[in-house]
Amino acid sequence: MFDWEFILQSIPAFSKALWLTIHLSFFGIVLAIIFGFFIALIQYHKIRFLKTIANIYVEVSRNTPMLIQLFFIYYGLSRLGLKLEAYTCAICAVVFLGGSYMAESFRAGFEAISKVQIESAKSLGLKTFQILFFITLPQALVVSLPYIGANIIFLLKETSVVTAIALPDILYVTKDIIGTYSKTNEAFFLLILCYLIVLLPISFLFSYLEKQYKQRL
């Protein structure tokens, strides 16, 4: 049985930690989406030299754990003379990892567009940015949205590694409560509840957006 009185007493600590997780995830994921979008554009338009750099970044980012990336940013950069706060390092780690996954999501959407449409748009005299925003991007988002939603959920869960650099997120509070009070069941119950509170609405939101977007095209 759960100690409900202890759970109620622990809610303020988890609420504060959950706010940190949401705050960190929001800024990290928004920046990751923007960064990933530009990486995907570089790959899609096959810009020489930049495409090579983008491909190397994607491979390095996707094939290394976020924990290792976080340690490199937090400890490695400080050895090189660039000392960043733990919160800033955490956001950078989310952007570095998330940018590659978002880039692959956007790239999949771009490559799903028929080349005939692009050539037809060019023959009509449309410029590159007009083709992107009025033809390519609206259709690409239909393909990309499910992947983007899945990546957002993935990155939200991955933020739990920031506890390794002593940021008091919900996992950090969970471990602290277990170590101090030995209330394992209660701590894990609140941990799962916090993730469900954040992740379930996001999952439903992207399912709804995907359906609405498909109907309008």
Side-chain angles (χ1 to χ4, degrees), residues 3-211:
D3 185 344
W4 293 104
E5 183 178 354
F6 181 82
I7 289 175
L8 291 175
Q9 292 174 352
S10 301
I11 287 177
F14 272 91
S15 298
K16 186 177 180 180
L18 180 60
W19 173 246
L20 173 66
T21 299
I22 293 172
H23 195 266
L24 168 65
S25 300
F26 175 78
F27 287 105
I29 291 171
V30 168
L31 291 173
I33 291 173
I34 296 171
F35 185 47
F37 177 72
F38 284 107
I39 293 295
L41 282 180
I42 291 171
Q43 292 176 314
Y44 178 67
H45 289 289
K46 299 178 180 179
I47 302 174
R48 291 184 178 180
F49 180 66
L50 289 179
K51 183 187 176 183
T52 302
I53 295 175
N55 289 339
I56 292 173
Y57 154 70
V58 169
E59 291 302 318
V60 170
S61 174
R62 285 168 58 90
N63 291 288
T64 54
M66 182 176 169
L67 182 60
I68 303 301
Q69 297 168 7
L70 180 63
F71 280 163
F72 176 79
I73 295 171
Y74 187 68
Y75 296 109
L77 293 183
S78 64
R79 292 291 185 90
L80 298 175
L82 182 59
K83 182 67 175 178
L84 300 174
E85 294 181 356
Y87 181 80
T88 304
C89 291
I91 289 181
C92 290
V94 173
V95 174
F96 186 82
L97 178 67
S100 61
Y101 282 90
M102 295 301 178
E104 290 296 291
S105 300
F106 283 116
R107 189 170 65 85
F110 288 146
E111 292 182 349
I113 307 302
S114 171
K115 300 296 182 183
V116 175
Q117 295 187 51
I118 306 300
E119 295 301 323
S120 299
K122 290 180 179 179
S123 67
L124 292 173
L126 294 181
K127 297 180 179 179
T128 302
F129 74 90
Q130 292 176 316
I131 295 173
L132 173 64
F133 287 104
F134 296 113
I135 297 176
T136 307
L137 188 56
Q139 297 181 73
L141 280 176
V142 175
V143 178
S144 300
L145 266 179
Y147 301 108
I148 293 173
N151 288 336
I152 288 175
I153 292 174
F154 165 71
L155 291 172
L156 268 163
K157 292 185 289 185
E158 280 293 294
T159 57
S160 61
V161 303
V162 303
T163 188
I165 57 173
L167 275 177
D169 70 326
I170 51 179
L171 182 59
Y172 183 93
V173 171
T174 300
K175 292 169 63 178
D176 185 54
I177 286 176
I178 293 174
T180 305
Y181 302 102
S182 299
K183 297 287 187 177
T184 305
N185 293 335
E186 289 79 4
F188 277 118
F189 171 77
L190 287 169
L191 175 66
I192 293 170
L193 183 62
C194 286
Y195 275 118
L196 289 177
I197 288 172
V198 177
L199 297 178
L200 283 179
I202 292 174
S203 179
F204 291 137
L205 173 63
F206 272 90
S207 296
Y208 173 78
L209 289 176
E210 183 184 354
K211 292 178 182 178

